[in-house]
Amino acid sequence: MRKLIVILGIPIDDLTMSETLDRLEHFVAVGRKTGRSHQVVTVNTDFLVKASQDSELRMLLQEAEMATADGMPLVWGARILGVNLKERVTGADLVPALAQRAAQRKMTMYFVGAAPGVAQKAAAVLQKRTPNLHIVGIQSPEVRNIEDTDPALLADICQKKPDILMVAFGNPKQEKWIQRFAPELNVPVMMGVGGSFDFLAGVSRRAPVWMQRTGLEWLHRLISNPMRLWKRYVNDIAVFARLFLRQVWLMRKAYDEQTILPSTEIFLIQDAVIINVKGTLTVNNIEDFRQNSHKALGVSQNIILNLEKSTFLDSSAMGALVGLAKEARTAGGEIWIASVPRPVLQTIEMLRLDTFFKILPDIQTCLAACRQRAGSRLIPAIPSQPHP
């Protein structure tokens, strides 16, 4: 199960660069066999701010198969929330690293976007560094409106059948473009790469390494292009700070009021599994929940999560719930959440996850929804012996 932390409603994967590349390689293998596309996003502060104001983008980021921490504010924010992310994985670093892995594993790539000629220069740089890299297509179309995308571009991608499609239209257009066309393109990995082609082509210069490591890369970009970026950065900093402090305050307040010791247990019924959560779920005790969730998914892809006796869920716990829901849905199942106490519901609503989860008033209502979905009669809600 994915290890996630939720920041301003967006789940962020806790991964190293090596783990990221391994997962992308796995996505390609799955996509080749099944035709399934996996959307990958590299999230920074601007993503979070835009998602707070754009419900379509927010749901898209919540549903993405992988979301890396591109910006240092996310790393710092996670630390404040109690999670030391393993590594910052930026799009600018991931693109060349993925190209190298693609060459090693004979995975093909296709580049779309950026200004005319930029993607071609970026491709030339990557192929010089990695001669075995196979780039099957490069296009720099003008896409003012996603629905007006040239059908010839889509046809060429379908004909070339790349393993990895990198799209550089800028956020949120590139993410929405990927979501819109993923079902018909069936590319195993589709990733928005923002200005990564510009960095590779030498059109833009990245900050010195010491500025990247100290979280000052944004300052370098601002100095390089103040007229275009200053308003965006001022707005991003102000909105991110306000929303993040609200998340910290609400979670700290709820945590201070908790009194019940944590525990989780699973109960097996026909066509579904009930997971009971008691007390608090935090980064310090989430492993028991992860293990029980893994057991539950091994029995059924339909999960009912009973939070009646829960008192607090931190950002890591919310990430675990998102990960559980994603795995259940990927397997063709669903997760329903029952009997959510008001303080926990407030946290879910504050994180804008109330539309991501299916939240129902009690277990019986969840069982009815599960019965309707499964199309079969369920045994009445009499649990078997709990599993530790």
Side-chain angles (χ1 to χ4, degrees), residues 30 65 86 88 101 108 114 119 122 138 146 149 154 160 164 167 184 231 255 260 263 277 299 306-307 315 341-342 376:
V30 171
E65 278 72 24
K86 296 175 183 177
R88 176 191 178 206
R101 178 67 67 92
T108 59
I138 305 171
I146 292 174
T149 297
L154 304 177
K160 298 291 179 54
I164 301 163
V167 183
E184 60 188 90
K231 286 185 179 180
Y255 182 74
I260 304 175
S263 69
V277 178
V299 175
N306 178 23
L307 298 184
S315 295
R342 185 58 192 166
S376 62

Side-chain angles (χ1 to χ4, degrees), residues 53 63 81 83 86 131 233 245 279 294 315 343 361 366 376:
Q53 303 158 352
E63 293 285 355
L81 293 169
V83 177
K86 296 175 183 177
Y233 282 167
L245 288 174
H294 182 72
S315 295
C366 290
S376 62

Side-chain angles (χ1 to χ4, degrees), residues 117-322:
V118 171
Q120 286 83 353
K121 289 181 181 178
V125 170
L126 290 174
Q127 289 183 312
K128 184 177 180 180
R129 295 178 184 176
T130 314
N132 293 329
L133 178 63
H134 190 192
I135 299 175
V136 296
I138 305 171
Q139 301 268 1
S140 297
E142 183 179 3
V143 180
R144 294 183 179 180
N145 187 300
I146 292 174
E147 295 301 326
D148 293 334
T149 297
D150 187 352
L153 168 63
L154 304 177
D156 190 58
I157 296 172
C158 289
Q159 192 271 325
K160 298 291 179 54
K161 296 182 179 180
D163 294 311
I164 301 163
L165 180 67
M166 294 187 170
V167 183
F169 294 146
N171 175 264
K173 185 183 292 184
Q174 62 193 19
E175 278 68 38
K176 293 183 178 182
W177 189 94
I178 289 172
Q179 183 191 50
R180 167 63 180 83
F181 295 112
E184 60 188 90
L185 296 178
N186 299 123
V187 177
V189 170
M190 304 179 72
M191 181 171 72
V193 297
S196 297
F197 291 163
D198 292 337
F199 291 132
L200 284 167
V203 175
S204 300
R205 289 189 177 183
R206 285 195 74 182
V209 174
W210 71 268
M211 295 187 81
Q212 296 177 37
R213 290 176 176 171
T214 55
L216 294 175
E217 194 165 7
W218 66 271
L219 180 60
H220 180 271
R221 292 181 183 177
L222 178 60
I223 294 172
S224 300
N225 199 339
M227 295 301 293
R228 185 174 72 87
L229 295 177
W230 77 269
K231 286 185 179 180
R232 182 188 118 181
Y233 282 167
V234 168
N235 178 72
D236 284 358
I237 291 171
V239 175
F240 176 80
R242 173 172 58 82
L243 295 177
F244 182 73
L245 288 174
R246 181 167 177 255
Q247 177 177 346
V248 171
W249 178 84
L250 182 60
M251 289 192 155
R252 185 66 55 84
K253 181 175 181 290
Y255 182 74
D256 289 342
E257 293 175 355
Q258 65 82 24
T259 56
I260 304 175
L261 294 176
S263 69
T264 61
E265 54 191 12
I266 62 175
F267 297 83
L268 311 181
I269 62 173
Q270 183 179 338
D271 294 332
V273 177
I274 296 175
I275 302 179
N276 285 337
V277 178
K278 179 181 178 181
T280 67
L281 272 183
T282 71
V283 65
N284 297 319
N285 59 38
I286 195 66
E287 193 54 38
D288 183 55
F289 176 82
R290 292 186 194 280
Q291 291 177 4
N292 277 328
S293 297
H294 182 72
K295 291 180 184 177
L297 286 169
V299 175
S300 173
Q301 288 74 50
N302 293 318
I303 308 291
I304 297 172
L305 190 63
N306 178 23
L307 298 184
E308 182 179 8
K309 294 184 179 180
S310 65
T311 56
F312 173 71
L313 279 72
D314 74 355
S315 295
S316 292
M318 290 295 176
L321 265 61
V322 170

Side-chain angles (χ1 to χ4, degrees), residues 353-375:
L353 292 171
D354 49 318
T355 55
F356 177 83
F357 295 122
K358 294 185 181 298
I359 301 174
L360 296 175
D362 52 49
I363 288 181
Q364 292 299 333
T365 308
C366 290
L367 286 169
C370 183
R371 182 183 300 114
Q372 183 179 17
R373 190 177 193 280

